[in-house]
Every structure is written in C-alpha cells, then in structure tokens.
Amino acid sequence: MDIKSVGVIGAGQMGNGIAHVFALSGFDVQLTDVSQDALDRAIGVIRKNLDRQASRGKISAEDAEAAMGRIKTTLTLSDLGQTDLVIEAATERETVKSAIFEDLQPHLKPETILTSNTSSISITRLASRTDRPEKFMGFHFMNPVPVMQLVELIRGIATDEPTYSALHGVVEKLGKTAASAEDFPAFIVNRILMPMINEAVYTLYEGVGNVRSIDESMKLGANHPMGPLELADFIGLDTCLAIMNVLHDGLADTKYRPCPLLTKYVEAGWLGRKSQRGFYDYRGETPVPTR
C-alpha cells in the first residue's frame, strides 16, 4: 500500500507527537479529539516542538512550516474515514478503544489500515471487534514521539503480511526503527519496564529508600538517564497502573501485582507531571519528592 494520509485519534501527549512526526515526514494528517480545547493545545505543542527543532538546526524553518500545513484538526471522527492509515491514541482503556473503532469503521475505505498505539492491550482482541482484523495492528510509539527512535509493531493473530510490510515501510519513512513484538500483554518494552517501575514503587512502599534515593541509585548505580519514579511521573501513574493490571490479569502471575502505593497515588489523582503531583510535586520552580 502507498500510505499518504494518516488519521490520528486523540490529541494528547502521544497523539500530538504522532501527528508531529508524520507531518514532518510528508504525510497529510487528520487529528481528532472530543474537545476543541484539546485540539488547540495539541496544535500549540506541535508548533512549539517544531520551532524548537528548527532553532537547534535539526530541521529548517521551511520544513517546520510545511509540517504545520499538513495537519488538519476535526471534532468529527468520521472525517478520518478517507485516510489510508488510522492510529488510535486514546486513553489506555479497552472499552474506550473498542467503542472508537466501532464508531469509525462504517466510514472507512476498504483498504484503510487500522492500528492502535496501545502499550499493553491485546491486539487480537481489539482487531476481532472490527470489520478488518487482517488489516489491524499494534503500532506502539514511545514517548516523547519526536525524540524516541523505537516503534513496536505487534501483529494480531489475523494480521496479514501486506499490512505488516506497509507499516514497516511507514516506520522507515519516519526515520525510526521497528521492533516486532508478539501479541502478549505489554509487548516488549513495557513487559520489562513496568515491572521495574512497580518494583521501585514497592521499594518506596516498604521504606527501603525514599523517592530521591531510589531515583539517584538507579541513575548513578545503573546509568539510567531518569530514575524509575521520575519516569513513572513522566509516563503517568494511571498509565503505569493500567499496564500493570493488564500484565497481572493477562499473565495471572503475582509478580505483576500492582503496588498498593501506586494504586493509592492514582486514587488521589496524583498522576505525575500531567496533574502536577505524583512521586514529585511539580507546582514549584523545581520538583520536590512527595515521600
């Protein structure tokens, strides 16, 4: 397939990053969300990030302006129906994702490829609720999308070879690297990363160390660029909890049990950077540990 146009569902952190990299690589992008405010914020973030790339000499000012010109926004989901590729980047809840695909599929071209940016949910199960499981794949970008080079490609049980090949070619055109993952809970990156973050939360919960000592230990002792609790705040504690629940439910192994402290933070609405409080408090000039 010759993919030229892309529909992105969800204008949050992942969705606006995906729209950014596709537009910069020459694709026409339709970005949709349920809120005009969310779309306006996304366009502002994309412009700011493109301008930053231009100021650092990574792209030209002309490239930045051309990329902005390729992005259109809409509140109407059906407007994405004529695109060649749809990437769902909504909240990490299976019921929400399934409802989106159900509403969208009557408006799609027969050849349109459907994908989800899910970081953990079964691709086979999502695909089975559409009219084109053979043209459905997991298309998992890493955050922040303009910076991170990896894209996980996850086939469902029914995904055909032309669909996989088309998406592999798209990843190459984006200048990123594809990693093929089997359709098991959390795939590759989060299957390894999230239990590490969860164990860091257990280390805090059990009083082995405080927030700062845990993060400093992993940065200086294991050469991690970001401590696990700092990283959890960056990802979003609600997302971390959702992925741990998928692992725990899908693999039925107690080693994936979410830490009660992680659950408590989410219940409090302390979700990390996006809510200004998580394992760190971001409301001042510099982040301050909350424990």
Side-chain angles (χ1 to χ4, degrees):
M1 285 189 63
D2 186 16
I3 295 173
K4 295 181 178 178
S5 58
V6 180
V8 180
I9 302 170
Q13 192 172 38
M14 294 304 296
N16 73 59
I18 291 168
H20 172 145
V21 299
F22 270 90
L24 192 56
S25 297
F27 295 88
D28 293 324
V29 177
Q30 285 267 11
L31 177 64
T32 188
D33 203 290
V34 295
S35 160
Q36 185 62 50
D37 285 345
L39 289 171
D40 292 343
R41 282 195 302 272
I43 291 299
V45 169
I46 293 168
R47 180 172 290 281
K48 180 181 176 181
N49 289 338
L50 285 167
D51 288 346
R52 183 185 296 116
Q53 286 179 300
S55 69
R56 294 176 178 174
K58 294 184 177 180
I59 61 174
S60 68
E62 291 76 17
D63 287 341
E65 213 44 52
M68 289 302 305
R70 295 187 190 103
I71 301 173
K72 303 290 184 286
T73 63
T74 179
L75 292 169
T76 306
L77 186 63
S78 60
D79 287 348
L80 274 59
Q82 294 306 302
T83 58
D84 302 321
L85 167 66
V86 172
I87 305 168
E88 172 274 313
T91 186
E92 191 70 358
R93 294 207 300 271
E94 187 169 345
T95 53
V96 172
K97 294 178 184 297
S98 295
I100 288 170
F101 290 127
E102 184 177 340
D103 291 345
L104 178 64
Q105 63 187 19
H107 308 285
L108 295 173
K109 300 186 296 184
E111 64 271 22
T112 297
I113 293 175
L114 280 179
T115 68
S116 176
N117 185 58
T118 179
S119 53
S120 61
I121 298 169
S122 167
I123 298 304
T124 296
R125 197 160 62 238
L126 287 174
S128 71
R129 294 168 187 166
T130 74
D131 62 352
R132 60 195 68 206
E134 72 285 351
K135 292 186 178 298
F136 193 105
M137 276 190 66
F139 206 24
H140 182 213
F141 289 81
M142 305 296 131
N143 185 33
V145 181
V147 175
M148 303 298 280
Q149 291 302 302
L150 184 72
V151 182
E152 284 183 318
L153 297 181
I154 308 101
R155 305 188 213 206
I157 196 170
T159 305
D160 62 25
E161 187 60 34
T163 298
Y164 174 82
S165 297
L167 290 188
H168 198 283
V170 167
V171 174
E172 290 181 344
K173 189 170 181 181
L174 295 176
K176 296 187 181 293
T177 300
S180 296
E182 292 299 319
D183 188 20
F184 287 98
F187 320 129
I188 295 172
V189 172
N190 283 320
R191 173 73 175 267
I192 297 167
L193 176 63
M194 286 302 158
M196 184 198 75
I197 287 175
N198 194 53
E199 193 62 30
V201 183
Y202 266 115
T203 305
L204 178 66
Y205 177 62
E206 294 168 3
V208 179
N210 60 28
V211 169
R212 197 174 297 282
S213 64
I214 291 167
D215 278 351
E216 288 299 311
S217 293
M218 293 307 293
K219 286 193 285 187
L220 301 179
N223 204 29
H224 289 196
M226 189 181 291
L229 300 177
E230 183 185 3
L231 179 57
D233 275 358
F234 182 75
I235 294 168
L237 303 192
D238 52 339
T239 300
C240 294
L241 179 60
I243 295 170
M244 287 309 302
N245 280 325
V246 167
L247 280 166
H248 190 232
D249 295 343
L251 298 172
D253 192 324
T254 56
K255 74 179 181 180
Y256 299 116
R257 182 173 73 96
C259 179
L261 184 60
L262 178 60
T263 302
K264 183 180 290 188
Y265 269 69
V266 173
E267 288 174 346
W270 291 20
L271 308 180
R273 285 185 175 272
K274 61 186 173 185
S275 67
Q276 294 297 298
R277 275 191 293 186
F279 293 114
Y280 293 84
D281 188 327
Y282 299 93
R283 293 175 296 176
E285 289 186 11
T286 59
V288 177
T290 54
R291 289 178 80 90

